[in-house]
Amino acid sequence: MVEGCGASAKSTVGYCGKHTERFRRHGDPDVVVDTRRDDAGYFAAHGRVYRDRGPARERVCPCGERAAHWAYDHEDPDERVSAEGLPYSLQSSHYRALCVSCHKLLDLAHGQAWERGG
């Protein structure tokens, strides 16, 4: 049994299912592997924000309108840029729930062309 794990042992090695799988894959039941990739692209990063924080439309934009998009705040010191020239962040905390108008104004203020609805 692994210290701090309250699950009952279900394998011949004496670990719960989760710790048995970690032991089988890595030889150590305490190994935790971060599956997030540091090379995620623009759309994967936005998907990560949606997964971490839910749909933007469930929030209110600072202007009072219903939010429509998760908009990158352009403040990540480790900013990434997609092949299409779109800046983004791998950190969900660098996104704000904004309405379409505020998203457009934010991006235009940072010199980003706005050709589509986000």
Side-chain angles (χ1 to χ4, degrees), residues 69 99-108 111-118:
H69 306 143
C99 69
V100 173
S101 296
C102 290
H103 187 179
K104 181 176 181 177
L105 289 172
L106 175 69
D107 286 350
L108 289 173
Q112 185 178 343
W114 227 81
E115 300 173 6
R116 51 187 259 262

Side-chain angles (χ1 to χ4, degrees), residues 24-71:
R24 186 185 69 74
R25 287 186 181 191
H26 309 289
D28 182 345
D30 291 321
V31 168
V32 177
V33 178
D34 186 358
T35 59
R36 290 190 173 199
R37 295 175 45 198
D38 286 340
D39 62 345
Y42 178 86
F43 291 105
H46 279 77
R48 183 180 290 177
V49 176
Y50 183 90
R51 185 182 65 238
D52 290 350
R53 300 178 66 191
R57 69 180 177 278
E58 292 180 353
R59 306 200 181 209
V60 177
C61 180
C63 75
E65 296 292 322
R66 176 152 315 276
H69 306 143
W70 284 111

Side-chain angles (χ1 to χ4, degrees), residues 14-30:
Y15 303 127
C16 70
K18 174 178 72 175
H19 289 105
T20 297
E21 185 61 20
R22 288 179 181 172
F23 180 76
R24 186 185 69 74
R25 287 186 181 191
H26 309 289
D28 182 345
D30 291 321

Side-chain angles (χ1 to χ4, degrees), residues 68-88:
H69 306 143
W70 284 111
Y72 170 52
D73 67 9
H74 299 268
E75 295 178 7
D76 186 349
D78 191 27
E79 179 176 280
R80 307 295 173 99
V81 179
S82 72
E84 298 79 22
L86 301 170
Y88 67 98

